[in-house]
């Protein structure tokens, strides 16, 4: 039986998640912001300590195209396109500044499960993000000063978050709050009676990537709303202060993950 | 940190999959059929042996409503409704007749992940199934002799399967090919470099349920099509012979799973 | 060229809306309520006058199965199933009590256009509604006293409305606020330059139906929320007072529409 | 009451289709091809005559962003993004070469109804199309020679069409089969008993646009599949010969439509 994930067969062709490496390219809208420090403390997994600037967070929208080594998915874009929204909070792993992702929504099944494999707690959502076409005209905002971009995320028909960016120029450094390496929790529950509280997989993991390419980053004034929604708790991390917004394109490859610590 | 699944928080309220027990009720359309015996052999997981009647399979559509112990999801049906299509093949676990599910599609995220936890290799799909309303009139087929019911499943915009049933009366025994207990493979991959072929969870598991309730079963002549679809392999199990079709309603509760064997 | 609607062909088979008659059966959740009388006045089309009890409205969820004369759609339920949410306000057409529908969302294309043909101003939305299965068990609320039912509607990822009903018994009369005949506005715009304000179709129409069948009606205490949503105005008709809720199943046939008045 | 389309209110803000002008920008994949000449003849509306090269057709995928005069939709992209697939056939309007669109699928409600207003017989579908990001890396095909692009369309879970393009260089002239002006049929049915065959709007219309901007066009070898699907007839226009494929970006504005002829 072959296949990186279930369903597995003699060929492995129908695996929901194809074998790594996974190549990605995507457009990003990011807003650096601050949430309530107590709320950030409440979502830090075991093994991470609060950052000195405890409330530091970033809200991220990404409009992705991804593929496996063959690149076949690029010709069948229902298997390569997905959009997602997530929040990262800043934290410390020992002496090291890191980020961690407590909440994330994505619009495709392969990306949802690929996220769980990497420790991203993905749920399905609907994500929309303004595009540029490099052509001009009144429907193409472009990336010039004054250009306005927006993004929204909903899940189960409820608003999760929205942001806007009004570009004022090129950014020297890009977003700061999502810059540190990301450390997440890989988790897979048990169903055996009496053991529902003993997950079979439960470990702190650090993302590993390679072949990173980044475009020019544009920045400007931003708005960010994080909405309360029935059945969701990301509203804990609603902004108490909003920083700058950023727009850029980014590519990388993932085929590794480092286990930092087994959690019990 | 609480929560049966990720995302986990101080309260556990936003967990994608709520804590067991999970209570279910659903309408079913089932067709007993036979696939190519070699194809069935090819999808049997390690630990299962071919059944004497090797090609014996069932195709199943289900239109579910489920909830956790609080029942809160019943008042917020985006969290309780889902529809799915799956195939089971017959096999032997030692001396015991069992079934196993190599392919399944479902239309909600909580049900997809809840399936992975139970060893069902779920992907997202779109599922449609004729309903009865107990009222009559030309748009309500009812469950009388002559009533016709249909169901379709697609995934990524491609046809997966469709079936029809023309009821001719009450069934004494109900469907036979999906009657034996179900044994699946729980599987969760590793991403650490060099270990992509060593899943972190990989075990043969037997479904356990309780508090089963079944309605009268209606049966009749059936049609079944299993379609070839790019990126899918369920077509291996296309019917070479189609048996009877069945329509019934069924309820049960799940809060346990038995590990039969660790796979390596 | 044949076909009741576009696209039209030699056979008419691919028409988005099949030729009348249209047969319907559906489950309903209805809440009688009152909105701000000035808001109701503001949405009454030309030709209707305010009702004496001006704010009288009903909020309606329906979970439909419909088909054309051949009934073929019943075997292909992607063409027969749809769910919708709408608001009706009470008004007077001369001396006659009527209702009118200012806002409605539906989850299928054929139902959206079929609605426009009848004067229902449908947009796409997502609609969810608790089901009963007639079987019992903790996931099946049934229709007994104490049974709780809920429904939600969203559009473009924003909450539109939700309601709940706790059944306390059989209703003698059923809902009152949506009982009068419905009078809507059929409208189809012009695009010719200079004539954007002169719709090509603009008429007050009265719905006509036949072969109506209704189940027992259950009623009880209800909750109703009508949410503000960007790009929507149904929030004008948010409840200032909420009456009783109702649950029933209803079937009818439509193949006629009466023009009451040409609007200019 | 204001509003270009229903629903209409005092402000007009919730109109499904905003008032013209409508500004558009989009990425295109186009394949010039030939269908069976008799099939093309069968879908020509009254008022158009067969082209000398009767089978000449084009298959078009477009990934659009559009907005009204305020541009507000650009910041709320659920109201500006949509993707569509359509076929155009070549024909003669008197002495003039024109195209006409017999079949089209789109993934948003506002675009569906906006299409009906312009005479495009839109149904809902799901459309996917390879993207470029201008960055490079293995997930970004770019527009260089050798770059491969693909697109798929499905509706009701059934495959409608797919195409691929392998770019070999810059095109001097761009696609030829969809170049002539487009002439469609605006049509809105009647529901009054006895008049179902007398549409209230039925006219041959010619699209009018302004402020057209086009990017460099890339071309290359193409594949095109047009699939048979239950309830659809576009398969009539399946390719008997496939020409070149094209990839470009295009913007324009629409706020007018010319009536060529009333049809009876």
């Amino acid at each position: 039986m072959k296949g990186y994930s279930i369903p597995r067969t003699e060929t492995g062709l129908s695996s929901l998640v194809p074998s790594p490496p996974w190549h990605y390219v995507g457009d990003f809208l990011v807003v650096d912001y601050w949430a309530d420090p107590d709320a950030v403390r409440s979502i830090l997994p075991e093994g991470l300590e609060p950052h000195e600037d405890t409330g530091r967070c970033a809200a991220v929208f990404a409009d992705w195209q991804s593929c496996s080594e063959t690149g076949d998915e690029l010709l069948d874009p229902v298997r390569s396109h997905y959009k997602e929204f997530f929040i990262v909070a800043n934290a410390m792993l020992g002496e090291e500044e890191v980020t961690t992702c407590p909440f994330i929504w994505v619009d495709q099944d392969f990306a949802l499960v690929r996220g769980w494999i990497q420790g991203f707690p993905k749920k399905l959502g609907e994500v929309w993000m303004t595009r540029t076409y490099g052509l001009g005209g009144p429907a193409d905002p472009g990336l010039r000063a004054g250009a306005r971009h927006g993004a929204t995320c909903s899940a189960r028909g409820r608003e999760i978050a929205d942001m806007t960016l009004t570009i004022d120029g090129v950014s020297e450094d890009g977003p700061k709050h999502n810059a540190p390496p990301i450390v997440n929790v890989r988790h897979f529950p048990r169903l055996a009676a009496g053991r529902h509280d003993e997950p079979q997989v439960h470990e702190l993991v650090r993302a590993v990537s390679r072949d990173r390419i980044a475009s020019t980053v544009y920045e400007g004034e931003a708005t960010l709303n994080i909405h309360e929604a029935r059945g969701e708790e990301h509203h804990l991390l609603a902004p108490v202060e909003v920083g700058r917004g950023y727009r850029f394109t980014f590519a990388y490859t993932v085929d590794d993950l480092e286990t930092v610590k087994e959690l019990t």
Side-chain angles (χ1 to χ4, degrees), chain A residues 20 25 50 65 72 79 95 107 112 116 124 133 145-146 150 154 160 176-177 187 196 203 232 238 251 259:
Chain A
V25 62
Q65 183 165 277
D72 285 349
R79 293 189 286 153
E95 300 298 307
D107 61 7
L112 185 151
W116 281 53
L124 285 184
Y133 288 80
S154 65
I160 296 293
K176 288 157 203 66
H177 294 196
H187 182 279
H196 299 165
E203 53 190 17
E232 305 293 354
T259 298

Side-chain angles (χ1 to χ4, degrees), chain A residues 18 113 154 197 205 211 246 261:
Chain A
V113 171
S154 65
D197 293 337
V205 292
D211 299 340
Y246 302 87
K261 181 184 178 181

Side-chain angles (χ1 to χ4, degrees), chain A residues 198-220:
Chain A
E198 302 168 33
Q200 196 156 351
V201 176
H202 197 198
E203 53 190 17
L204 204 62
V205 292
R206 181 204 301 262
V208 180
S209 65
R210 59 180 171 87
D211 299 340
R212 300 164 71 95
I213 316 174
S215 73
T216 299
V217 179
Y218 297 86
E219 66 170 78

Side-chain angles (χ1 to χ4, degrees), chain A residues 177-244:
Chain A
H177 294 196
N178 73 332
I182 192 158
V183 172
N184 287 324
V185 175
R186 248 170 79 90
H187 182 279
F188 194 73
R190 267 204 182 81
L191 180 52
R195 304 189 67 186
H196 299 165
D197 293 337
E198 302 168 33
Q200 196 156 351
V201 176
H202 197 198
E203 53 190 17
L204 204 62
V205 292
R206 181 204 301 262
V208 180
S209 65
R210 59 180 171 87
D211 299 340
R212 300 164 71 95
I213 316 174
S215 73
T216 299
V217 179
Y218 297 86
E219 66 170 78
E221 201 171 338
T223 65
L224 172 66
N225 292 296
I226 292 189
H227 300 279
E228 213 163 345
R230 176 151 58 148
E232 305 293 354
E233 294 175 276
H234 68 295
H235 181 64
L236 291 169
L237 301 181
V240 296
E241 184 184 342
V242 174
R244 299 281 281 175

Side-chain angles (χ1 to χ4, degrees), chain A residues 28-34 57-61 129 143-144 146-151 162-178 216-224 241-248:
Chain A
F28 281 73
L29 271 183
V30 178
V31 172
D32 282 347
Y33 80 98
W34 287 263
C57 290
V60 182
F61 281 90
M129 186 173 143
L143 296 169
R144 69 188 190 288
R148 296 191 307 159
H149 290 247
D162 59 75
M163 69 170 60
T164 66
L165 164 67
T166 305
I167 291 174
D168 55 31
V170 169
S171 175
E172 286 194 21
D173 300 326
K176 288 157 203 66
H177 294 196
N178 73 332
T216 299
V217 179
Y218 297 86
E219 66 170 78
E221 201 171 338
T223 65
L224 172 66
E241 184 184 342
V242 174
R244 299 281 281 175
Y246 302 87
R247 213 271 183 195
F248 55 94

Side-chain angles (χ1 to χ4, degrees), chain A residues 62-131:
Chain A
D63 185 354
W64 289 110
Q65 183 165 277
S66 76
C67 63
S68 61
E69 195 62 17
T70 63
D72 285 349
E73 296 89 351
L74 299 181
L75 282 184
D76 187 21
V78 68
R79 293 189 286 153
S80 61
H81 284 179
Y82 66 103
K83 298 191 286 293
E84 63 191 6
F85 167 72
F86 59 97
I87 296 172
V88 293
N90 284 229
M92 301 302 293
L93 174 67
E95 300 298 307
E96 183 189 7
E97 283 197 335
V98 297
T99 57
T100 189
C101 174
F103 302 112
I104 179 167
W105 290 264
V106 67
D107 61 7
Q108 287 258 40
D109 56 356
F110 68 87
L112 185 151
V113 171
R114 194 166 60 182
W116 281 53
I117 292 169
Q118 299 172 273
F120 286 96
K122 295 189 178 183
K123 294 179 170 182
L124 285 184
E126 286 210 17
V127 178
W128 299 87
M129 186 173 143
T130 308
R131 289 184 54 190

